[in-house]
mmCIF file of all heavy atoms in Angstrom:
data_model
loop_
_atom_site.group_PDB
_atom_site.id
_atom_site.type_symbol
_atom_site.label_atom_id
_atom_site.label_comp_id
_atom_site.label_asym_id
_atom_site.label_seq_id
_atom_site.Cartn_x
_atom_site.Cartn_y
_atom_site.Cartn_z
ATOM 1 N N THR A 80 36.134 109.194 39.110
ATOM 2 C CA THR A 80 36.160 108.407 37.874
ATOM 3 C C THR A 80 36.139 109.370 36.692
ATOM 4 O O THR A 80 35.348 110.326 36.652
ATOM 5 C CB THR A 80 34.944 107.465 37.804
ATOM 6 O OG1 THR A 80 34.982 106.579 38.921
ATOM 7 C CG2 THR A 80 34.971 106.648 36.525
ATOM 8 N N THR A 200 56.840 104.302 11.522
ATOM 9 C CA THR A 200 55.411 104.612 11.327
ATOM 10 C C THR A 200 55.124 106.094 11.165
ATOM 11 O O THR A 200 54.037 106.475 10.724
ATOM 12 C CB THR A 200 54.595 104.082 12.514
ATOM 13 O OG1 THR A 200 54.978 104.798 13.711
ATOM 14 C CG2 THR A 200 54.849 102.594 12.720
ATOM 15 N N LYS A 214 58.208 103.990 32.754
ATOM 16 C CA LYS A 214 59.622 103.684 32.998
ATOM 17 C C LYS A 214 60.431 104.923 33.348
ATOM 18 O O LYS A 214 61.651 104.874 33.408
ATOM 19 C CB LYS A 214 60.218 103.010 31.764
ATOM 20 C CG LYS A 214 59.612 101.649 31.461
ATOM 21 C CD LYS A 214 60.148 101.091 30.153
ATOM 22 C CE LYS A 214 59.488 99.756 29.804
ATOM 23 N NZ LYS A 214 59.921 99.242 28.482
ATOM 24 N N ILE A 217 59.988 109.624 30.220
ATOM 25 C CA ILE A 217 59.312 110.859 29.820
ATOM 26 C C ILE A 217 58.522 111.360 31.026
ATOM 27 O O ILE A 217 57.888 110.574 31.741
ATOM 28 C CB ILE A 217 58.361 110.641 28.623
ATOM 29 C CG1 ILE A 217 59.140 110.224 27.383
ATOM 30 C CG2 ILE A 217 57.557 111.905 28.328
ATOM 31 C CD1 ILE A 217 58.258 109.915 26.186
ATOM 32 N N VAL A 305 36.435 102.924 53.067
ATOM 33 C CA VAL A 305 36.985 103.647 51.919
ATOM 34 C C VAL A 305 36.649 105.122 52.137
ATOM 35 O O VAL A 305 35.484 105.520 52.052
ATOM 36 C CB VAL A 305 36.403 103.138 50.593
ATOM 37 C CG1 VAL A 305 36.957 103.957 49.437
ATOM 38 C CG2 VAL A 305 36.738 101.664 50.407
ATOM 39 N N TRP A 488 67.701 80.540 73.282
ATOM 40 C CA TRP A 488 68.450 81.611 73.950
ATOM 41 C C TRP A 488 69.153 82.496 72.929
ATOM 42 O O TRP A 488 69.244 83.711 73.124
ATOM 43 C CB TRP A 488 69.471 81.012 74.919
ATOM 44 C CG TRP A 488 68.899 80.251 76.060
ATOM 45 C CD1 TRP A 488 69.210 78.969 76.421
ATOM 46 C CD2 TRP A 488 67.920 80.683 77.015
ATOM 47 N NE1 TRP A 488 68.503 78.582 77.523
ATOM 48 C CE2 TRP A 488 67.687 79.618 77.920
ATOM 49 C CE3 TRP A 488 67.213 81.872 77.178
ATOM 50 C CZ2 TRP A 488 66.799 79.718 78.967
ATOM 51 C CZ3 TRP A 488 66.308 81.962 78.239
ATOM 52 C CH2 TRP A 488 66.105 80.907 79.114
ATOM 53 N N GLY A 543 81.553 96.293 75.340
ATOM 54 C CA GLY A 543 82.316 96.395 74.107
ATOM 55 C C GLY A 543 82.491 97.833 73.663
ATOM 56 O O GLY A 543 83.573 98.239 73.208
ATOM 57 N N GLY A 640 78.676 116.595 78.007
ATOM 58 C CA GLY A 640 79.037 116.272 79.380
ATOM 59 C C GLY A 640 78.551 114.908 79.822
ATOM 60 O O GLY A 640 78.191 114.708 80.985
ATOM 61 N N PRO A 650 74.261 100.144 82.187
ATOM 62 C CA PRO A 650 75.535 99.777 82.813
ATOM 63 C C PRO A 650 76.419 98.964 81.882
ATOM 64 O O PRO A 650 75.950 98.154 81.087
ATOM 65 C CB PRO A 650 75.099 98.939 84.023
ATOM 66 C CG PRO A 650 73.784 98.344 83.607
ATOM 67 C CD PRO A 650 73.124 99.380 82.739
ATOM 68 N N GLU A 695 94.436 85.539 73.877
ATOM 69 C CA GLU A 695 94.141 84.278 74.549
ATOM 70 C C GLU A 695 95.301 83.303 74.376
ATOM 71 O O GLU A 695 95.687 82.621 75.308
ATOM 72 C CB GLU A 695 92.853 83.695 73.987
ATOM 73 C CG GLU A 695 92.439 82.428 74.704
ATOM 74 C CD GLU A 695 91.183 81.869 74.101
ATOM 75 O OE1 GLU A 695 91.082 81.852 72.870
ATOM 76 O OE2 GLU A 695 90.321 81.438 74.856
ATOM 77 N N TYR A 741 103.894 75.726 56.125
ATOM 78 C CA TYR A 741 103.796 74.385 56.695
ATOM 79 C C TYR A 741 102.697 73.530 56.095
ATOM 80 O O TYR A 741 102.494 72.400 56.496
ATOM 81 C CB TYR A 741 103.535 74.496 58.209
ATOM 82 C CG TYR A 741 104.547 75.334 58.924
ATOM 83 C CD1 TYR A 741 104.174 76.519 59.530
ATOM 84 C CD2 TYR A 741 105.878 74.949 58.974
ATOM 85 C CE1 TYR A 741 105.105 77.303 60.188
ATOM 86 C CE2 TYR A 741 106.810 75.726 59.626
ATOM 87 C CZ TYR A 741 106.421 76.897 60.244
ATOM 88 O OH TYR A 741 107.334 77.654 60.885
ATOM 89 N N LEU A 824 118.572 102.840 41.043
ATOM 90 C CA LEU A 824 117.711 102.065 40.151
ATOM 91 C C LEU A 824 116.254 102.515 40.270
ATOM 92 O O LEU A 824 115.525 102.577 39.275
ATOM 93 C CB LEU A 824 117.836 100.570 40.488
ATOM 94 C CG LEU A 824 117.078 99.592 39.576
ATOM 95 C CD1 LEU A 824 117.529 99.731 38.126
ATOM 96 C CD2 LEU A 824 117.292 98.159 40.068
ATOM 97 N N ALA A 832 113.693 98.216 40.885
ATOM 98 C CA ALA A 832 114.332 98.217 42.202
ATOM 99 C C ALA A 832 113.635 97.240 43.139
ATOM 100 O O ALA A 832 114.289 96.528 43.920
ATOM 101 C CB ALA A 832 114.314 99.629 42.776
ATOM 102 N N LYS A 869 103.562 84.739 47.235
ATOM 103 C CA LYS A 869 104.765 83.905 47.392
ATOM 104 C C LYS A 869 105.692 84.184 46.210
ATOM 105 O O LYS A 869 105.307 84.066 45.053
ATOM 106 C CB LYS A 869 104.363 82.429 47.403
ATOM 107 C CG LYS A 869 105.526 81.486 47.696
ATOM 108 C CD LYS A 869 105.951 81.553 49.154
ATOM 109 C CE LYS A 869 107.092 80.580 49.452
ATOM 110 N NZ LYS A 869 106.645 79.186 49.408
ATOM 111 N N ARG A 928 122.546 95.302 54.931
ATOM 112 C CA ARG A 928 123.400 95.213 53.746
ATOM 113 C C ARG A 928 124.660 94.416 54.070
ATOM 114 O O ARG A 928 125.116 93.570 53.282
ATOM 115 C CB ARG A 928 123.774 96.620 53.269
ATOM 116 C CG ARG A 928 124.604 96.651 51.980
ATOM 117 C CD ARG A 928 123.812 96.015 50.847
ATOM 118 N NE ARG A 928 124.493 96.061 49.597
ATOM 119 C CZ ARG A 928 124.267 96.983 48.648
ATOM 120 N NH1 ARG A 928 123.386 97.942 48.873
ATOM 121 N NH2 ARG A 928 124.891 96.955 47.512
#
Side-chain angles (χ1 to χ4, degrees):
T80 300
T200 65
K214 295 175 183 176
I217 296 177
V305 178
W488 296 126
E695 184 181 43
Y741 306 115
L824 185 59
K869 186 72 178 290
R928 183 61 177 262

